[in-house]
Amino acid sequence: MNIVVVKMAIPVGQGLFPIGDDLSSIILNILWVVFFFSMILLFNQRLQIWTYQRNVEKATVKLQMLADKSREEALKSVQKYAQENTDVRSQVTAFLDFFTIEPVDRDPFGVLNRLEHLLDNRRDRFKAFVAQIAPKAGKAEAANTEDILEAAMALNFIFKVVRHFLILGKKTKSLMIFVQLDMQLPLIMKMAEAYFNAQKTFSAGKPIGDGLGPLVASKLMYGLPKRVIAEDIVCSETNISNRKAYVLKAEGPGGLLGKPGEAVKRLVEEMGGKVARIFMVDASSKLEGENTGEVVEGVGAAIGDPGPEKYKIEEVATKYKIPLDAIVCKMDLEEALTTMKKEIVEASDVIIEKIKKAIAERTKEGDVVIIAGIGNTIGIGQ
Amino acid sequence: MQRERQPKFAMISILLTVGAFILFVLATIVDSLSDYSNVLMVAGLALLAASWGIYFIGGRSLQRAEVATENVITVIGCKGCDIREERPFSEGDYVFKEIGPCKKCSGTSYIRAIYAISIKKD
């Protein structure tokens, strides 16, 4: 019945876009114009908001799932070393919102000392929390548990920030909030997935890509006597081409980074600045198109800390005019945080050869050099 | 969100959109088809709807299809000889962990390396 009515309204032989001066043609054309302009002018932005919002909502659901799963993984890891009657769930859940306030930098004088102090406070609080909640964990297990909690905290934070902007966008109906969020989502999701996969690696205690520096140092110091030179950093003395080489790394196999800057500073000061060169080995983020495991040389302090450790190395090297050589291995964020790839293990041998060659070419016999393997030493002993 | 779409879904979506456009043009311009213009318009809209649906279904990331799993290998060596063995990683393994006497020379066996090999599943 309806079809008949429509058929009568449309002039036969002229379709939905009639051309003519009869009343029905004019009305139909006006209706089309009104419909077209209402879609363009009134609903265009709504449609765009709806499309972007839908993408952000889907990503937020996925992020929530990752954050929930990582919290459960953290609980499972902690419970292995917890006392029986401890309420692990509520304590861990509350700790996931732990935060650190960056020092004021309007007056930059001494900002790195203040930052180091805050980072020390943060590390102490982490250690104390793990010691309290997982008293049965040994040194390595406690360090790994700290890393697991860090990953869970990162995922929790990412989820909360994305959810915040989603709700803000809905409240303000702002297209720009959704567009900006939507454009950044591929990178945000990549980062979240990297942390999620990293947590599984930390739970198993496997070496990660970022452990390249400690792996190189371990290969050079394996079997030699070791001494603790700074917080969580061990050092060995070896001979390379008749040069005295001090090799240092974080103490494994727990997931520790230590204070390599402090260690380098102490070593240089111990020797009164008589160090011919400092070699630093670290993982470096690769650009798209570069190959994982590619070894590149340069100069400078190859260390990715927030600032204090890098500053100490640069400061002591500048004070005594010691050249700083950097050797890095390329990898992306996910490769740095997840189980070490075969290409990266193979790169460690290439780096050792490069160090030996550089020592032979750029120093004299009897010189002293420092080789610092920078990174998280989880799953790597010495 | 910008995602990688599977090429075949993208192609089908584009073809359906082109088909819908052709139907709209036919319904509007060709006089001999004007009796069927309503049918053509509805068919065109249906194609557009199908194209839109396929565009979003195809938009589900390729990552879902390419879930990468990893095979973690522990390489065992010896301080006294050149023996090399590989076995799957087991919890508690770490690089340079000493794991007892060597099968070949009764020297000290240790873990030389631990690494992952990615296996992509479709």
Side-chain angles (χ1 to χ4, degrees), chain A residues 97-110:
Chain A
D97 287 323
F98 187 83
F99 61 91
T100 308
I101 301 169
E102 283 188 24
V104 62
D105 56 2
R106 279 189 186 170
D107 176 8
F109 180 76

Side-chain angles (χ1 to χ4, degrees), chain A residues 16-42:
Chain A
L16 286 172
F17 301 98
I19 304 163
D21 52 6
D22 56 301
L23 188 62
S24 57
S25 297
I26 293 166
I27 291 170
L28 202 58
N29 277 320
I30 290 170
L31 284 175
W32 273 119
V33 169
V34 169
F35 173 73
F36 180 73
F37 279 101
S38 64
M39 287 302 288
I40 295 292
L41 299 174
L42 300 177

Side-chain angles (χ1 to χ4, degrees), chain A residues 103 108-117 306-309 311-312:
Chain A
F109 180 76
V111 71
L112 286 172
N113 288 334
R114 286 181 274 132
L115 179 60
E116 187 181 8
H117 174 63
E309 298 305 306
Y311 177 75
K312 285 177 197 168

Side-chain angles (χ1 to χ4, degrees), chain A residues 7 10 13 15-17 54-55 58 80 182 185-186 204 206-207 218 222 253 339-342 345 379 381, chain B residues 1-3 28 34-35 37-38 41 52 56 63 70 72 79 89 91 94-96 98 110 114-116 118:
Chain A
K7 208 59 173 161
I10 298 167
L16 286 172
F17 301 98
R54 183 175 164 276
N55 288 334
K58 279 169 73 176
K80 277 194 285 187
D182 188 61
L185 274 180
K206 296 171 190 164
S218 284
Y222 181 55
T339 314
M340 192 179 273
K341 294 245 158 62
K342 193 178 182 185
V345 174
Chain B
M1 183 169 54
Q2 292 175 338
R3 289 166 292 192
T28 312
S34 58
D35 286 347
S37 62
N38 293 336
M41 293 294 275
W52 186 79
F56 277 97
Q63 287 167 359
E70 59 176 26
V72 182
K79 283 182 183 176
F89 174 86
E91 209 162 316
Y94 63 86
V95 183
F96 295 113
E98 293 184 351
Y110 68 101
I114 296 169
Y115 55 77
S118 290

